[in-house]
Amino acid sequence: MLKGVMNESIQQSFDDLFSKILLEQSRFQGVKKAAPEKKDKLDQLLESYALNRGRGFFYPYISTGRGHGPFTEIQDGSIKYDLIGGIGPNLLGHSHPLMIQANLEAATADSIMCGNLLPYSHAKEMAEKLVETVKDSKLKHFWYAGSGSFANDTALKMVWQKMAPKYRLIAFEGAFAGRSIATQDITQNPAYRVDMPRNIDVDYIPHFDSKNPKEALSKTLAALDRIVKKHPDSHCAVMIELVQGEAGFIHGDKNYYHEIAKWTKDHGLFFWVDEIQTFGRTHELFAFQTYKLEDYVDILTIGKALQCCGTLYSEELNPKPGLVSGTFNGSLASIIAGSKTLKFLSEGNFYGPEGRSAKIEKNFFSHFQLLQEKNGKNWVPYYGGIGTMIAFEVGDSSKETTVKFIKALYTNGIIAFMAGANPTRVRFLLPLCLDDEHISEIFKIINQTLNEVLG
Ligand SMILES: Cc1ncc(COP(=O)(O)O)c(C=O)c1O
């Protein structure tokens, strides 16, 4: 398949540019403090950007566009560990060779954005590779979207059309589905839709409770039964995040998910999995593969780490013409990056019990255990998560303490974020390129920061 212009001379320049960019980017590694003379420059940039967008920023962060592996450089000259990966997309780390290549390959094409009406071979290739990775499931088709939220909007429309007029949706307490007009109603947090009209009827059920795993399933099933009794013949689907991102990486086990999926199918509803945050981050390429839900998933949404977004769906959910479309599939660079990410993750040793994702999890957990033993349980009363989605609680697990902790962590060289409310957790979306030395250094910084905040 032809993809852009290429000849010997372009190839030579491409190779030359690729190695020069990679070489230059790989200089930006290792935690570094801000340069005093650049601090004012960053403050000025932040101030004028805040004026432009109407409000300030959580962190004093504006990237220079330079960084390598887990490291990112900021306009004040500091270099920090990026352990939140732009809230998920940077699964492979900064200036990964495949991302540099994707950008260069995109530059050989005649356009920047790829459209729906007149698509490019790059989009065909990515979509085919993606469907191939889920070949053991019912998911047979892929439709591109511009964001995770829009992928969820598309999924909802497909489900609604098939189930019309049963429009009620079942979702989980703590759900986050995005901020579009439809998904803000699925997202449970009311603070994210202040003064908004309600457009969708959503019934919430409790997610897994790790403190009471035995009762968790019966509680969830009882809530499901109650809901369909209260609103008979009204629901279209159960929508689930198998690892709840914004809620603090709450996740169940295989049996819990199988029973919920069975209940869903027994009641004639679609089983919709939101993998926008989980793709690539658990013990298999997809979280539904980690929990062996291949026979149940009818529709799945994806974004973030894939570098492009969209909806995977079964034959049964293929919509009538006219329901889904839009100008763009995405930028050519992001679609090419999606293809490369899929190939890299599928062919490398990242998944399974011995894969890098499980090993990173294990390494983080053993460091947390050591830390608890050394400092007493009250400093880190909880740690958990799966794969490269790791969360922990600090001190009294309040939002106030957590914000204080992550801001101090930022000053000391690690970018994290928070998730959940009551308890609030520190959240890491880790890059797969972390090695064991990085992890030891990360825990030195965590220890130092705990001492500063709680000591
Ligand atoms: C589980 C989940 N669904 C949907 C979304 C929305 O995706 P986007 O921010 O790309 O619209 C997110 C984003 O954080 C998410 O984590």
Side-chain angles (χ1 to χ4, degrees), residues 147-149 152 176-178 241 246 274 276-277 304:
S147 70
S149 301
N152 276 338
F176 184 87
E241 289 163 84
E246 305 301 304
D274 176 338
I276 289 159
Q277 200 160 144
K304 295 199 190 260

Side-chain angles (χ1 to χ4, degrees), residues 93-353:
H94 289 262
S95 69
H96 192 281
L98 293 180
M99 299 299 148
I100 299 174
Q101 275 177 2
N103 272 317
L104 291 174
E105 278 177 40
T108 70
D110 64 345
S111 179
I112 288 182
M113 299 297 283
C114 172
N116 255 307
L117 181 67
L118 305 173
Y120 280 64
S121 43
H122 312 74
K124 174 185 185 289
E125 187 176 289
M126 201 304 288
E128 282 175 358
K129 273 203 181 110
L130 184 60
V131 171
E132 175 68 18
T133 61
V134 294
K135 65 174 183 299
D136 293 339
S137 75
K138 292 186 272 179
L139 305 167
K140 298 290 173 241
H141 306 288
F142 179 68
W143 197 270
Y144 283 96
S147 70
S149 301
F150 202 70
N152 276 338
D153 282 5
T154 303
L156 185 64
K157 292 201 321 176
M158 288 176 176
V159 164
W160 271 354
Q161 190 175 67
K162 213 76 208 167
M163 295 293 275
K166 298 177 188 171
Y167 299 131
R168 287 191 88 89
L169 183 69
I170 300 176
F172 285 77
E173 287 166 12
F176 184 87
R179 293 173 197 264
S180 67
I181 287 173
T183 55
Q184 71 179 2
D185 277 346
I186 305 171
T187 295
Q188 199 194 12
N189 189 346
Y192 294 165
R193 51 167 178 274
V194 172
D195 295 338
M196 294 290 103
R198 195 90 188 161
N199 298 298
I200 307 175
D201 291 317
V202 185
D203 297 305
Y204 295 99
I205 54 171
H207 208 289
F208 192 74
D209 181 0
S210 59
K211 289 195 190 112
N212 202 346
K214 277 206 178 121
E215 270 183 34
L217 178 62
S218 46
K219 256 172 90 177
T220 305
L221 292 177
L224 283 165
D225 287 336
R226 252 195 327 273
I227 282 166
V228 289
K229 206 169 159 196
K230 190 168 169 200
H231 305 285
D233 265 338
S234 310
H235 294 96
C236 55
V238 171
M239 189 221 201
I240 188 165
E241 289 163 84
L242 297 168
V243 185
Q244 285 192 304
E246 305 301 304
F249 300 163
I250 291 164
H251 64 102
D253 54 31
K254 191 175 150 215
N255 178 54
Y256 177 77
Y257 291 132
H258 273 244
E259 291 303 317
I260 294 168
K262 267 189 225 152
W263 183 98
T264 307
K265 303 298 4 165
D266 287 349
H267 288 76
L269 311 185
F270 287 111
F271 193 60
W272 166 10
V273 180
D274 176 338
E275 293 234 25
I276 289 159
Q277 200 160 144
T278 49
F279 166 75
R281 293 199 169 273
T282 63
H283 293 175
E284 297 295 339
L285 189 59
F286 288 86
F288 84 84
Q289 294 165 337
T290 298
Y291 297 108
K292 309 258 175 292
L293 292 161
E294 285 84 348
D295 293 342
Y296 298 105
V297 183
D298 298 295
I299 188 158
L300 182 149
T301 44
I302 190 167
K304 295 199 190 260
L306 183 65
Q307 308 301 314
C308 46
C309 306
T311 310
L312 281 156
Y313 51 100
S314 66
E315 195 61 64
E316 192 186 354
L317 277 166
N318 206 349
K320 291 174 191 157
L323 189 75
V324 294
S325 193
T327 305
F328 295 135
N329 284 158
S331 76
L332 284 169
S334 72
I335 291 167
I336 297 167
S339 283
K340 290 187 186 299
T341 301
L342 283 171
K343 185 167 169 10
F344 183 66
L345 294 180
S346 312
E347 291 177 3
N349 183 24
F350 295 108
Y351 305 112

